[in-house]
Amino acid sequence: MRGSFRSEVSGWRLIAGYLGVVLMLIGGIILLPLLVLAAYPGEAVWASCFLVPGVGAVLAGYLFYLLIRGREKLRLCGRQDALIVVCSWILAILFCAIPFQMTGQYNLTQAVFECTSGWSTTGLSVVDVELCPRIFLMFRSIMLFFGGVGLVLVMVSVLSDRHGMRLYSAEGHSDRLLPNLVKSARMIIAIYTGYILSGTFLYMVFGMDWFDALNHSIAALSTGGFSTRAESIGYYNSAAIEAVTIVLMLLGCTNFLAHLYLIRGKFGNFFQYCEVKFQLFVCALFTPVLAVFLVLGGFAGGVGQGLRDGIFQAATALTTTGFQTVPSFAVWSSPLILLMTLLMLIGGGTGSTAGGIKQIRVCIALKSLCWSLRARITQKRTIHADALRKLDGYEYLTPESRLENLEFILLYMAVFTAGTLVLCACGYGIGDSMFEFSSALGTVGLSVGITAADAPPVVLWAEIIGMFVGRLELYVVFVAAVQFGREVKGGYKNRKRGFGSYVG
């Protein structure tokens, strides 16, 4: 029994130690916005809002890190990896909410909402960007940057970690670019940063100042959608800026492994990949349909403007980014709201910064339907190979994998239904409620006006939960909750047994 008690203590020590590493990382992230003061020294009045929680997180993290320092033999047990990942994201949100609260302009709910939106790369906001200091606007973009690549991936990129692969997988990453995990993490961050710098340069070429260009480039590639302008991308009324944004959004919602093939010039592998083909097909399909309803509803000045708005809104919804070029979705017709809701539910690619059900799951579901219909109308003796085109060839799907895919979609839709019901219970219409919660759950960021600083707390907390579980893909949160219960229950029993044995 003493051995079991020691094992339990070691498990908690390992969890606390890893959270300490994450806390130090979070502290560094909170301090990063202070670099803005070099360009805008007049905002130094807000420096303490970042110094206090940033330094505090680093010091607290170091104390926790000492629990595992020099103890390489400790091992993760059960599903402690999921528990570490979920707790890491909760700590990131709570600590990053402190700067907003220290301003005295945001309560706990509003601060947590804004940071959950940032870390989950959603883009829904309760902040008035026209009045918000630049240091806080940059802070939001920094959260998008690290939320897009993932806390664990950043941690693995700076540490050679024996438990990294388990944590990496638990955070929702499915592919490694290189055989070595640390090198893969660094490669992903290098690609990610390179795209952001390229986007920033192009935005500046087409008329943005450096601050807006950097913030919008981060927001587009991370599929986060936070803008420095109340009118979002529509503020600039520039076809060139919209084109750059569309490219960045599509890159952001594409699997990082696919980017490696693209950079290495393997265009055949890239464009034959099922998710790339699917997202291009969906954009091509929805763009003219959206354009028709925009023109017929009087929401566009003509066919040209309708197509321009149609392709941008199709891309921003499918990639779960949340930028917009139209003044408001609140006045849109029901068919337009329905089409946008469907796009937000589908979402982006696996292993990308996007949310939603994910394109590959939708592909598998549609193909499974086609395969089932084909099996009913063809001769029973005919054998068909049910396969999906991946980056490095075909992957044959088993009935078990197809069932697991369907289970996830059903669970996702159940959460979507529950969230929609909460918003409906607060007095909002069914169409608006479906649109708003699909935006939160899919980490999109588009709004029909429900999300605001003065929205009912119940609505904001429902969306906070939706953004959180949507970013971590449901199962991880569920497994972490179960594991937490096991850790608490097991620790309580072992403490009682250990105390009794020592007394005896």
Side-chain angles (χ1 to χ4, degrees), residues 50-262:
F50 299 93
L51 281 171
V52 173
V55 174
V58 172
L59 293 177
Y62 182 72
L63 293 176
F64 280 111
Y65 168 68
L66 293 177
L67 295 172
I68 60 170
R69 187 177 181 182
R71 293 179 170 86
E72 289 79 6
K73 293 183 180 181
L74 294 177
R75 295 184 300 171
L76 290 173
C77 303
R79 298 312 303 269
Q80 290 177 338
D81 50 353
L83 183 57
I84 291 172
V85 168
V86 171
C87 288
S88 297
W89 283 78
I90 291 174
L91 285 174
I93 290 168
L94 293 179
F95 271 85
C96 288
I98 295 175
F100 286 97
Q101 285 187 277
M102 288 183 67
T103 64
Q105 299 175 18
Y106 305 94
N107 58 35
L108 176 64
T109 297
Q110 294 166 341
V112 169
F113 181 93
E114 196 71 16
C115 293
T116 304
S117 184
W119 277 101
S120 64
T121 69
T122 302
L124 288 170
S125 181
V126 294
V127 168
D128 185 346
V129 296
E130 299 295 337
L131 302 176
C132 187
R134 289 183 177 87
I135 191 171
F136 279 93
L137 294 178
M138 181 58 73
F139 183 43
R140 299 194 315 161
S141 295
I142 289 171
M143 287 190 287
L144 291 181
F145 179 92
F146 289 101
V149 295
L151 269 172
V152 168
L153 188 142
V154 176
M155 182 179 71
V156 169
S157 70
V158 297
L159 296 174
S160 181
D161 181 58
R162 65 193 298 262
H163 302 299
M165 191 62 221
R166 288 188 61 178
L167 297 172
Y168 180 82
S169 300
E171 196 178 42
H173 304 281
S174 56
D175 296 300
R176 282 189 291 174
L177 277 64
L178 301 170
N180 183 281
L181 179 58
V182 175
K183 291 182 178 178
S184 291
R186 292 172 181 170
M187 175 68 77
I188 289 174
I189 293 175
I191 293 172
Y192 194 70
T193 304
Y195 284 149
I196 287 173
L197 294 176
S198 300
T200 301
F201 172 76
L202 290 173
Y203 277 141
M204 291 175 68
V205 168
F206 294 121
M208 283 192 188
D209 62 54
W210 74 268
F211 185 82
D212 283 4
L214 179 58
N215 280 272
H216 282 100
S217 186
I218 294 173
L221 190 70
S222 67
T223 64
F226 277 150
S227 177
T228 56
R229 303 291 179 178
E231 299 88 349
S232 190
I233 296 296
Y235 170 85
Y236 301 96
N237 191 26
S238 168
I241 287 177
E242 291 168 20
V244 172
T245 306
I246 290 172
V247 172
L248 288 173
M249 292 190 299
L250 291 174
L251 289 173
C253 87
T254 302
N255 189 309
F256 279 114
L257 183 58
H259 290 295
L260 188 61
Y261 281 85
L262 182 63

Side-chain angles (χ1 to χ4, degrees), residues 272-461:
Q272 286 299 315
Y273 179 40
C274 60
E275 284 191 322
V276 172
K277 291 167 62 177
F278 182 78
Q279 72 180 20
L280 294 177
F281 170 76
V282 171
C283 283
L285 176 65
F286 275 72
T287 294
V289 179
L290 285 171
V292 168
F293 282 109
L294 284 170
V295 174
L296 293 179
F299 304 112
V303 175
Q305 186 63 44
L307 287 171
R308 181 173 157 183
D309 288 339
I311 189 171
F312 190 91
Q313 298 311 144
T316 195
L318 182 67
T319 61
T320 72
T321 304
F323 281 139
Q324 64 187 73
T325 57
V326 296
S328 173
F329 294 101
V331 296
W332 273 25
S333 61
S334 296
L336 286 169
I337 292 296
L338 175 61
L339 290 170
M340 292 292 286
T341 301
L342 290 174
L343 287 168
M344 291 190 290
L345 287 173
I346 293 171
T350 54
S352 71
T353 64
I357 293 173
K358 295 295 173 61
Q359 294 166 6
I360 196 167
R361 292 192 179 102
V362 178
C363 280
I364 293 173
L366 293 175
K367 283 185 173 291
S368 295
L369 176 60
C370 293
W371 293 333
S372 296
L373 293 174
R374 180 189 62 191
R376 294 176 182 274
I377 61 177
T378 56
Q379 297 181 2
K380 293 184 179 180
R381 296 180 180 179
T382 305
I383 299 176
H384 298 283
D386 300 336
L388 208 62
R389 180 61 185 259
K390 291 295 192 70
L391 287 162
D392 53 355
Y394 285 94
E395 178 181 321
Y396 294 93
L397 302 176
T398 63
E400 290 78 13
S401 63
R402 290 163 60 180
L403 179 60
E404 290 175 2
N405 185 74
L406 179 61
E407 289 172 349
F408 180 89
I409 294 176
L410 289 175
L411 178 60
Y412 190 95
M413 295 306 296
V415 175
F416 166 68
T417 302
T420 301
L421 181 61
V422 171
L423 268 61
C424 286
C426 292
Y428 300 103
I430 179 66
D432 288 349
S433 297
M434 290 175 64
F435 184 98
E436 203 80 6
F437 195 75
S438 66
S439 181
L441 184 61
T443 69
V444 183
L446 299 176
S447 176
V448 290
I450 293 176
T451 302
D454 58 352
V458 173
V459 170
L460 294 182
W461 279 105

